[in-house]
Amino acid sequence: RTEPPPVSSIIVTQGTGDRAVISLNATKAQIASDRIPPASLQNVDLVLIDGHQMEVSHAIAQQAKSKNIPIVIDGGSWKPGFENLLPLVDYAICSANFHPPNCHNQQEVISYLSKIGIPHIAITHGEKPIQYHSNNTTNSIEIPKINPIDTLGAGDIFHGAFCHYILQTSFPKALESAAKIASHSCQFFGTRHWMN
């Protein structure tokens, strides 16, 4: 039996730039970990995982950990299997919609992730400040004020920019730089026009 492919439809509100995503994610179309090419982590400096392909994600994270390659998690929402993957993570960048079992607020999420042993944790809140916990310090980072045209892709742009910057600077500075890039991208319609 073949499952339907993952599909998303996005509606953007022209006046505010807010978007609504209607999607069928990949939970029913999982790929087996034996499909990972043998040298897939050769010349890789960092791994970003979102958990949509949990079996493959876990296998790649285990390989990365054995090679001392840092692992970043894009925690958009809780997915079954994260409980096994999270102990391997170095940087957890989660949305306000990321709720592990029995976690109902941001403090409980940070506590849960800290107890697992994740050293660097951030929780994003759209245009509101990013809350982070790193080196036993909890603080926040302001998001640049903009007039949004389209917020589609801002989270993915944020995570990509974070991965770029974390290889060069500290956790708070990487978060701040990523927030600037993602905010800038929201001032253009579509997910790529901002790069021109």
Side-chain angles (χ1 to χ4, degrees):
R1 180 177 159 215
T2 305
E3 295 292 341
V7 175
S8 295
S9 294
I10 299 103
I11 301 167
V12 178
T13 304
Q14 189 172 8
T16 64
D18 290 335
R19 80 319 192 182
V21 179
I22 302 115
S23 68
L24 171 65
N25 64 28
T27 56
K28 294 185 178 184
Q30 294 291 299
I31 297 171
S33 60
D34 62 2
R35 305 267 313 264
I36 302 170
S40 61
L41 294 181
Q42 187 174 352
N43 300 319
V44 170
D45 295 320
L46 185 89
V47 171
L48 172 63
I49 294 173
D50 66 7
H52 283 288
Q53 291 290 331
M54 196 58 75
E55 182 181 337
V56 170
S57 296
H58 190 258
I60 289 172
Q62 287 178 312
Q63 290 177 25
K65 200 55 139 179
S66 73
K67 297 175 183 294
N68 294 317
I69 299 170
I71 301 162
V72 179
I73 193 81
D74 171 353
S77 62
W78 181 263
K79 296 167 188 67
F82 263 142
E83 64 277 3
N84 300 318
L85 177 62
L86 289 172
L88 303 171
V89 170
D90 300 286
Y91 303 96
I93 315 293
C94 305
S95 80
N97 295 325
F98 185 83
H99 297 289
N102 302 314
C103 291
H104 305 98
N105 60 50
Q106 176 180 297
Q107 289 73 27
E108 290 176 350
V109 173
I110 289 173
S111 176
Y112 178 94
L113 297 174
S114 293
K115 286 178 183 171
I116 286 175
I118 299 174
H120 308 284
I121 301 160
I123 300 179
T124 62
H125 300 272
E127 74 280 1
K128 296 177 184 164
I130 298 167
Q131 305 300 315
Y132 73 89
H133 183 80
S134 178
N135 299 322
N136 296 316
T137 301
T138 300
N139 211 333
S140 64
I141 293 172
E142 292 294 323
I143 302 297
K145 302 293 182 220
I146 59 155
N147 291 318
I149 305 255
D150 185 358
T151 61
L152 180 63
D156 293 325
I157 292 165
F158 177 86
H159 284 88
F162 173 82
C163 289
H164 170 77
Y165 288 113
I166 196 61
L167 295 173
Q168 305 168 36
T169 190
S170 69
F171 184 62
K173 288 183 181 177
L175 291 170
E176 184 177 357
S177 296
K180 287 177 183 174
I181 297 287
S183 294
H184 176 71
S185 76
C186 292
Q187 297 176 84
F188 301 85
F189 187 77
T191 57
R192 301 184 63 81
H193 187 67
W194 66 275
M195 294 186 287
N196 294 336

